[in-house]
């Protein structure tokens, strides 16, 4: 295995431009979660001109519905969900300033083009490794749409969360 690059999130300025498809990264910093239901609500707020419950500028969204934590832990199992389910929402969120996403699986051509256009990043992490990945999440709290349960938006603090660059800011892909 090659060298792991340390990446601070949210992404700022040239951060995404320094990463290439296939890079192994360790993500640290603040990440937000969002799945289908939360994406729909974010898009609706954007369309209505309403303020968003999170700052999208440079934000990295993790496609996950975390499990409830065991006593003494900030989060339960937290493995990625299939990213393609968010493809219909992703270009609009990238245009609004989102810096990247974490999930699993391939993205549509429209999303890859939007990633390139917005100089963003798509990271993938390993499905089926949710218990291991949860060990890299040091804080987790609901920040929006609590009525959605596991599909609420959570604010997570990562420390050396392992991922791979699947689509880089130039639109190059590992798929």
């Amino acid at each position: 295995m090659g060298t792991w690059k340390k990446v601070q999130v949210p992404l700022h300025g040239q951060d995404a431009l320094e990463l290439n498809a296939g890079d192994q990264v360790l993500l640290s910093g603040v990440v937000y979660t969002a799945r289908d239901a939360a994406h729909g609500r974010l898009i609706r707020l954007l369309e209505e001109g309403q303020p968003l419950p999170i700052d999208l500028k440079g934000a990295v969204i993790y496609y996950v519905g975390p499990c409830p934590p065991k006593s003494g832990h900030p989060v339960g199992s937290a493995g990625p969900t299939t990213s393609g389910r968010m493809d219909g929402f992703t270009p609009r969120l990238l245009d609004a300033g989102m810096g990247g996403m974490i999930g699993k699986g391939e993205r549509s051509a429209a999303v890859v083009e939007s990633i390139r256009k917005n100089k963003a990043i798509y990271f993938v992490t390993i499905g089926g490794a949710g218990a291991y990945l949860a060990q890299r999440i040091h804080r987790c709290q609901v920040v929006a749409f609590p009525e959605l349960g596991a599909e609420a938006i959570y604010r997570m603090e990562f420390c050396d969360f392992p991922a791979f660059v699947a689509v880089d800011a130039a639109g190059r892909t590992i798929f």
Side-chain angles (χ1 to χ4, degrees):
M1 275 193 144
T3 303
W4 289 80
K5 294 182 178 182
K6 296 219 177 218
V7 176
Q8 199 64 36
V9 290
L11 299 170
H12 298 287
Q14 301 287 82
D15 293 349
L17 300 177
E18 297 173 9
L19 299 171
N20 296 299
D23 283 350
Q24 302 170 127
V25 298
L26 296 172
L27 303 171
S28 294
V30 173
V31 170
Y32 293 99
T33 72
R35 288 180 48 174
D36 314 54
H39 273 72
R41 289 193 183 186
L42 290 172
I43 296 298
R44 192 166 38 254
L45 289 170
L46 285 170
E47 288 172 351
E48 294 170 355
Q50 300 294 319
L52 298 180
I54 59 173
D55 182 5
L56 275 184
K57 185 161 177 54
V60 173
I61 302 292
Y62 184 20
Y63 302 145
V64 62
C67 293
K70 292 181 183 178
S71 180
H73 296 274
V75 66
S77 184
T81 195
T82 303
S83 301
R85 295 195 342 244
M86 272 51 79
D87 281 2
F89 307 109
T90 300
R92 179 67 178 97
L93 294 176
L94 287 167
D95 289 346
M98 182 172 69
M101 305 127 295
I102 306 166
K104 68 178 181 181
E106 202 166 351
R107 304 309 296 268
S108 70
V111 169
V112 171
E113 175 55 24
S114 186
I115 289 168
R116 187 202 57 73
K117 177 183 114 184
N118 289 286
K119 304 295 183 236
I121 292 286
Y122 170 50
F123 301 101
V124 291
T125 194
I126 301 159
Y132 168 74
L133 294 171
Q135 296 173 27
R136 299 297 179 184
I137 301 168
H138 292 231
R139 286 191 186 8
C140 180
Q141 67 185 59
V142 174
V143 294
F145 316 133
E147 66 281 4
L148 296 178
E151 290 209 28
I153 295 179
Y154 291 79
R155 179 186 185 275
M156 294 181 159
E157 291 182 25
F158 281 10
C159 183
D160 291 340
F161 185 94
F164 302 89
V165 176
V167 180
D168 66 22
R172 295 177 298 240
T173 176
I174 63 171
F175 297 106

